[in-house]
């Protein structure tokens, strides 16, 4: 059965180590014990959406290894349909993550099986009944471009988390319903937030970290403040939590402002626990704030 929300993106094993500070070039810094957690922008987005009630499937790839099993189990236990996650001959993607005492992280990603997510995987999809396609960029760019173009032509709302920034065809940018970037990425793309729409998307969201987000539409820019939390434990995957919750609400028919206000609550709760997917809140938890 086709799901109302499709997420196309990466699935990685997150190897997380806590450090007192990040090492300088050529320096060795001792850290804590390594913790292995399920992650990847695509898988994170899908799990975040499922945790808040979305009917969602992930289009992606993992290796035939222990990390791949970990990811499949995490996705399935969260309610994500994994029938579109293929098994690659390459190893499962890995993200090497250091987390400092203030909760900030630095990440190096080894794509592995994610590089095998191809345009042919998109051609095998049925978009009947799909309301939203959400993509991120830890899989091949040409696959993302093809998916957005095909989904848009089928009348599906399209969301792209453009991180890291990559050059997209103007036709693909014009096919976007929502472009999601952080403020640094927005500055790379345009001279001002409103200028993002001149690139082609119908609307844009600029994430502002602890300050919340800016919702950019033709009618103007509206800032949605962040929800304050008692303690920031780990910011890993907070942006993906936002994208997943936003997509979930858009698939339910919310307008962009409503979806963004809900998604900032999900992102705020996600930083209060360690890891990415394990930190994502349920509908009940979101309702409590």
């Amino acid at each position: 059965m086709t799901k109302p929300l499709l997420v196309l993106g990466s699935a990685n094993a997150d190897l997380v180590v806590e450090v007192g500070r990040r090492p300088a070039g050529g320096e060795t810094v001792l850290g804590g014990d390594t913790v292995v957690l399920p992650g990847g922008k695509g898988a994170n987005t899908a799990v975040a959406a499922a945790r808040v009630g979305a009917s969602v499937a992930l289009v992606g790839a993992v290796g035939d290894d222990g990390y791949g099993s970990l990811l499949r189990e995490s996705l399935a236990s969260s309610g994500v349909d994994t029938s579109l996650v293929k098994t690659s001959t390459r190893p499962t993607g890995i993200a090497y993550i250091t987390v400092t005492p203030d909760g900030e992280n630095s990440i190096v990603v080894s794509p592995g099986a994610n590089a095998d997510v191809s345009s042919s995987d998109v051609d095998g999809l049925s978009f009947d009944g799909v309301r939203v396609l959400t993509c991120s960029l830890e899989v091949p760019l040409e696959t993302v471009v093809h998916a957005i173009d095909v989904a848009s032509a089928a009348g599906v709302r399209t969301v792209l988390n453009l991180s890291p920034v990559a050059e997209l065809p103007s036709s693909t940018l014009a096919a976007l319903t929502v472009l999601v970037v952080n403020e640094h990425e927005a500055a790379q793309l345009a001279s001002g937030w409103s200028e993002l729409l001149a690139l082609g998307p119908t609307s844009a969201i600029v994430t502002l970290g602890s300050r919340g987000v800016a919702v950019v539409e033709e009618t103007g820019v509206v800032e949605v403040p962040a929800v304050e939390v008692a303690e920031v434990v780990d910011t890993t995957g907070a942006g993906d939590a936002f994208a997943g919750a936003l997509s979930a609400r858009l698939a339910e028919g919310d307008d962009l402002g409503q979806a963004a206000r809900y998604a900032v609550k999900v992102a705020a709760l996600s930083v209060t626990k360690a890891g990415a997917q394990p930190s994502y809140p349920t509908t009940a938890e979101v309702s409590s704030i």
Side-chain angles (χ1 to χ4, degrees):
M1 183 189 302
T2 302
K3 300 295 183 180
L5 173 59
L6 282 183
V7 175
L8 185 146
S10 61
N12 295 324
D14 288 351
L15 274 58
V16 184
V17 59
E18 294 184 355
V19 295
R21 60 181 177 82
R22 297 184 184 88
E27 182 185 17
T28 298
V29 172
L30 292 179
D33 292 343
T34 298
V35 178
V36 181
L37 298 169
K41 283 187 173 296
N44 289 350
T45 299
V47 167
R51 290 270 175 86
V52 294
S55 179
V56 54
L58 175 67
V59 183
V62 296
D64 184 15
D65 50 35
Y67 292 145
S69 297
L70 170 74
L71 284 157
R72 287 186 181 278
E73 290 168 8
S74 177
L75 289 161
S77 65
S78 297
V80 178
D81 183 342
T82 62
S83 62
L84 301 176
V85 178
K86 69 181 183 181
T87 301
S88 168
T89 57
R90 301 182 67 165
T92 299
I94 296 177
Y96 302 91
I97 304 172
T98 59
V99 181
T100 49
D102 60 359
E104 290 298 319
N105 61 70
S106 296
I107 306 173
V108 174
V109 175
S110 173
N114 296 304
D116 279 348
V117 181
S118 67
S119 295
S120 63
D121 296 321
V122 175
D123 291 334
L125 299 175
S126 169
F127 285 96
D128 290 341
V130 177
R131 298 174 193 156
V132 175
L133 169 74
T134 297
C135 299
S136 54
L137 291 185
E138 289 178 345
V139 295
L141 181 61
E142 60 269 21
T143 304
V144 173
V145 167
H146 185 57
I148 291 169
D149 292 347
V150 171
S152 177
V156 175
R157 300 172 84 180
T158 54
V159 179
L160 174 63
N161 187 0
L162 190 59
S163 177
V165 169
E167 187 172 346
L168 297 174
S170 57
S171 59
T172 301
L173 285 166
L176 283 177
T177 307
V178 187
L179 172 66
V180 181
V181 290
N182 65 32
E183 56 186 328
H184 306 293
E185 293 156 351
Q188 290 180 254
L189 292 168
S191 57
W193 295 344
S194 297
E195 297 304 313
L196 289 170
L197 301 191
L199 299 174
T202 302
S203 59
I205 286 186
V206 182
T207 59
L208 307 172
S210 61
R211 305 197 322 274
V213 303
V215 179
V216 185
E217 298 181 281
E218 285 189 0
T219 52
V221 179
V222 176
E223 292 194 35
V224 178
V227 175
E228 292 189 11
V229 295
E231 181 183 11
V232 175
V233 175
D234 183 2
T235 61
T236 303
D240 303 331
F242 176 86
L246 180 84
S247 301
R249 295 315 308 165
L250 290 175
E252 286 296 315
D254 283 8
D255 64 35
L256 190 59
Q258 291 172 319
R261 286 189 289 274
Y262 185 86
V264 295
K265 294 181 182 180
V266 173
L269 286 171
S270 78
V271 306
T272 63
K273 300 177 184 177
Q277 292 175 32
S279 74
Y280 294 160
T282 62
T283 304
E285 289 172 318
V286 179
S287 298
S288 69
I289 64 171

